[in-house]
Amino acid sequence: MAIIKPSIPKGTRDFSANEMVKRNHIFNTISAVFKKYGYQEIQTPTMENLSTLTGKYGDEGDKLIFKVLNSGDFLSNVPADKLEARNSQGLTSDISEKALRYDLTVPFARYVVMHRNEISFPFKRFQIQPVWRADRPQKGRYREFYQCDADVVGSDSLINEAEFVLIYHEALSKLGLKDFTVKINNRKILSGIAEVIGKPELIVDMTVAIDKLDKIGFEGVTKELIERGFTESDIEKLKPIINLSGSNEEKLNSLRSVLAASETGLKGISEIETIFSYINHLIPHTSYLIPLELDITLARGLNYYTGAIFEVKTNEVAMGSIGGGGRYDDLTGMFGLSDLTGVGISFGADRIYDVLEELNLFPESTSESTKVLISNFDSAAEKYALPLLQQLRNAGISAEIYPSSAKLKKQMSYADDKKIPFVIIIGSEEMESRLLSLKNMKSGEQQKITAEQIIASLS
């Protein structure tokens, strides 16, 4: 049998034990903040029905959904004319009924509809699970990655949006990030812009194009807008709006003048101002400033956003967004439950991991898996050590014994490799005196103390 060289799909990664400790540090930090603001954790399946996901992310998003082939002979019931046409998109509905989830928001909307008689509204939930996208892998962009989502459904209060800004600030600050920006915009403002330039029917095309401003520049956006049906005259009207500068207040004043003829646009401005006001009331006596920026080019290409939209970027590392979200009205209407508004945000855990790693921001404690290793020289020492091992664990101290007798050098190397900070050395002298040698692997200091003293010092 041929030997297959082991590999994993592009855009996916293995995570070592040390990496998992660091990842869990991120998840635990974010989930603790979510819980502090009243969010409860749920989980949804890896797979959803394909019909649940399609049509929710726009044409570009739908192309990135990983489809799952039907079980068995999935081609047996496909009409011959479809097979002969060799059109994979035309075959999809015949050979695939399920798909890997693209995000956590649409599955959450499906969950709310299915469980609406069991939950109380407004419903605040968070989820930390992987999602999959058939994207082109590159730095900071993976095909399998974790999202940390929090959503509120059943409440149209803009206090929720204000609190999400605070959640971003608190969680990222606790993770050690110092220079990041929470960007905010409103899809109603974007709709207003499309109205005043006379192209309300092309709102989706406009938002998809200007959302790429950071990646392809104004010339690239201009080219794409023309391809999508905008004229040079439209783009001339758009240019000063897209290039708005100044403080948040100055931008809002400029927009109020530009969008004076658009009721929708003015409503979007009013919502942004209300969010800013809530934030000022929530943190009136604190010394820190929320790094919040109104960015008119922020569009978040997903079709289901209808109000405020967010995106978070770190300014310390060259990286795409590390979080984003927004308000969506009647997303659950697609599943038969109408008029239920919601708003949510997501943290990009994989990108945050890369940022913290590059900036060396993980605390030293995250590299520890075991706190103390007990040496093992022979069967007598092993029997002596086993009751102590369980005493340590019963005291809440992560401990292990070297699994077989070996020379001290080998056991010390094992402790170094695993970054175990303490080693208990038990030889014939220690067993006779009942004073055990405790070695600090970082300082090299060694002392002889009782088992009870060891437990007390390591607890």
Side-chain angles (χ1 to χ4, degrees):
M1 189 172 77
I3 296 174
I4 299 173
K5 184 179 178 181
S7 64
I8 58 175
K10 288 181 179 179
T12 65
R13 295 176 291 174
D14 288 323
F15 298 106
S16 68
N18 285 339
E19 288 171 324
M20 281 308 304
V21 174
K22 293 177 179 179
R23 287 171 66 79
N24 286 332
H25 167 66
I26 294 172
F27 297 147
N28 293 339
T29 300
I30 294 171
S31 63
V33 176
F34 284 158
K35 290 175 184 177
K36 182 177 172 181
Y37 282 77
Y39 291 81
Q40 297 175 299
E41 185 173 17
I42 68 164
Q43 290 197 344
T44 57
T46 294
M47 288 186 295
E48 293 280 349
N49 290 325
L50 182 58
S51 58
T52 297
L53 303 179
T54 51
K56 314 302 190 300
Y57 308 107
D59 291 341
E60 293 196 6
D62 280 354
K63 293 174 186 175
L64 302 182
I65 295 173
F66 273 112
K67 285 80 174 178
V68 179
L69 290 174
N70 294 337
S71 302
D73 187 0
F74 54 85
L75 288 177
S76 60
N77 295 320
V78 179
D81 58 327
K82 283 192 175 182
L83 289 174
E84 290 170 8
R86 302 176 67 85
N87 182 334
S88 59
Q89 288 186 337
L91 282 174
T92 300
S93 61
D94 294 290
I95 64 175
S96 175
E97 297 172 355
K98 297 176 288 295
L100 300 181
R101 59 172 172 251
Y102 178 92
D103 73 350
L104 298 178
T105 305
V106 171
F108 171 57
R110 188 266 312 150
Y111 173 93
V112 169
V113 174
M114 289 185 67
H115 297 269
R116 60 185 179 273
N117 295 325
E118 306 160 26
I119 58 181
S120 299
F121 294 102
F123 181 48
K124 302 173 78 171
R125 86 80 172 88
F126 77 90
Q127 255 176 286
I128 298 178
Q129 289 186 276
V131 299
W132 292 266
R133 296 183 186 179
D135 216 339
R136 184 173 65 86
Q138 53 187 288
K139 182 182 179 183
R141 188 180 293 274
Y142 304 98
R143 286 175 170 166
E144 178 187 64
F145 57 96
Y146 270 72
Q147 285 187 335
C148 306
D149 277 22
D151 287 79
V152 188
V153 290
S155 170
D156 59 7
S157 172
L158 296 174
I159 290 176
N160 298 309
E161 279 87 336
E163 287 193 339
F164 279 139
V165 174
L166 270 61
I167 286 172
Y168 270 134
H169 183 267
E170 183 170 343
L172 295 175
S173 296
K174 284 187 173 181
L175 288 169
L177 295 181
K178 293 179 173 61
D179 186 7
F180 57 88
T181 304
V182 181
K183 295 190 175 187
I184 187 172
N185 195 12
N186 193 298
R187 286 295 285 254
K188 293 183 180 72
I189 292 176
L190 293 168
S191 295
I193 293 170
E195 282 180 21
V196 298
I197 65 172
K199 291 288 194 301
E201 74 283 1
L202 295 181
I203 172 63
V204 173
D205 296 273
M206 186 187 81
T207 56
V208 168
I210 68 172
D211 197 42
K212 299 174 182 176
L213 187 68
D214 284 350
K215 300 172 188 173
I216 61 177
F218 191 78
E219 285 186 13
V221 170
T222 297
K223 182 180 177 184
E224 185 160 335
L225 286 170
I226 289 172
E227 290 171 354
R228 290 175 176 270
F230 289 83
T231 66
E232 292 284 356
S233 175
D234 296 332
I235 292 165
E236 282 303 308
K237 294 175 187 174
L238 267 177
K239 190 172 182 178
I241 300 172
I242 292 175
N243 291 329
L244 271 181
S245 60
S247 67
N248 290 334
E249 187 177 351
E250 288 169 339
K251 289 177 183 176
L252 287 169
N253 288 335
S254 298
L255 282 171
R256 192 175 286 103
S257 174
V258 171
L259 301 178
S262 170
E263 185 179 343
T264 300
L266 292 175
K267 191 172 190 306
I269 292 170
S270 176
E271 289 181 4
I272 291 286
E273 289 176 325
T274 301
I275 294 168
F276 288 168
S277 175
Y278 277 135
I279 292 171
N280 290 334
H281 280 85
L282 284 164
I283 53 167
H285 304 301
T286 56
S287 58
Y288 64 84
L289 292 174
I290 299 288
L292 184 62
E293 177 191 339
L294 175 61
D295 183 354
I296 302 306
T297 68
L298 174 60
R300 302 288 303 168
L302 302 181
N303 283 350
Y304 54 65
Y305 290 127
T306 55
I309 45 180
F310 303 99
E311 193 162 275
V312 185
K313 292 197 173 182
T314 174
N315 304 315
E316 299 175 81
V317 173
M319 182 69 70
S321 65
I322 57 174
R327 167 73 62 174
Y328 43 85
D329 289 333
D330 202 31
L331 184 64
T332 55
M334 300 176 183
F335 304 116
L337 183 60
S338 299
D339 303 321
L340 193 65
T341 185
V343 59
I345 60 168
S346 178
F347 287 81
D350 294 87
R351 288 187 177 182
I352 291 172
Y353 180 100
D354 290 345
V355 171
L356 298 187
E357 189 76 3
E358 188 167 336
L359 296 174
N360 195 29
L361 289 176
F362 284 108
E364 283 188 23
S365 60
T366 58
S367 63
E368 291 179 17
S369 56
T370 300
K371 193 165 190 178
V372 61
L373 171 72
I374 302 177
S375 68
N376 187 349
F377 294 120
D378 51 40
S379 60
E382 183 178 271
K383 288 177 183 176
Y384 188 95
L386 289 178
L388 172 61
L389 176 64
Q390 206 55 32
Q391 278 182 281
L392 288 161
R393 290 171 176 167
N394 289 342
I397 301 164
S398 55
E400 60 180 289
I401 186 171
Y402 197 79
S404 56
S405 59
K407 291 183 178 180
L408 183 60
K409 183 178 179 182
K410 185 175 182 180
Q411 298 185 54
M412 290 298 185
S413 294
Y414 175 80
D416 273 334
D417 289 343
K418 287 194 71 175
K419 294 183 172 60
I420 299 173
F422 296 97
V423 174
I424 298 172
I425 301 170
I426 303 177
S428 56
E429 183 183 326
E430 282 81 8
M431 287 187 286
E432 187 175 334
S433 67
R434 304 186 72 82
L435 291 174
L436 312 180
S437 297
L438 179 66
K439 184 178 179 68
N440 184 316
M441 296 297 288
K442 190 171 184 179
S443 67
E445 294 178 3
Q446 190 168 309
Q447 55 181 323
K448 287 198 172 184
I449 53 178
T450 65
E452 290 76 16
Q453 289 173 318
I454 288 175
I455 291 171
S457 66
L458 297 182
S459 294

